[in-house]
Amino acid sequence: MRRITAVLTGAVALSAAFTSQAVAAPAVIDAPNARAAAEVGYRGELLRQKNVVDSFQVAEGLYCVIVDPNAGINLPSALILGNAGGHATNVHTIGQPTTSCNGRRDAITVVTLKDNLPKSDSFTIAVL
């Protein structure tokens, strides 16, 4: 009986260690002249935002940034500016629906490159 109790106690402790922790909401980014803006980490995590609800990494150097559909922004006609965080040298943004972001009309596809090859990096974007 003691052996079973010890095994169960260890299993409970182990499962508690792997239970996902609550993730804090991303901070608000100060971008008074942008309709939407985001700071995204190199793994795709949304760090700071304005009218952005999510972001995620699809592949090496390829990301999707999801704009709040209630913000009333027509992404195909918007000017979208991007800036790499340090490891990549170029950031390309696409406001049209792409297969990389499942054809979503509220998604911005972001590609970060170094020497014309995909390179994961943090980045910021602004939708004007």
Side-chain angles (χ1 to χ4, degrees), residues 71-124:
I73 301 169
N74 182 13
L75 290 176
S77 66
L79 173 62
I80 305 169
L81 304 175
N83 187 39
H87 301 303
T89 54
N90 295 320
V91 174
H92 297 278
T93 59
I94 304 165
Q96 299 285 341
T98 65
T99 56
S100 298
C101 296
N102 298 322
R104 293 182 65 158
R105 298 192 56 76
D106 60 349
I108 300 168
T109 304
V110 178
V111 180
T112 55
L113 302 169
K114 181 173 184 174
D115 300 327
N116 290 323
L117 296 172
K119 174 69 176 165
S120 294
D121 197 3
S122 59
F123 61 89
T124 56

Side-chain angles (χ1 to χ4, degrees), residues 18 23 36 40 62 74 88 101 112 125 127-128:
F18 288 107
V23 177
V40 178
L62 180 61
N74 182 13
C101 296
T112 55
I125 60 168
V127 180
L128 306 177

Side-chain angles (χ1 to χ4, degrees), residues 19-42:
T19 302
S20 63
Q21 301 294 320
V23 177
V28 174
I29 194 168
D30 185 25
N33 296 318
R35 293 187 287 163
E39 179 182 356
V40 178
Y42 76 98

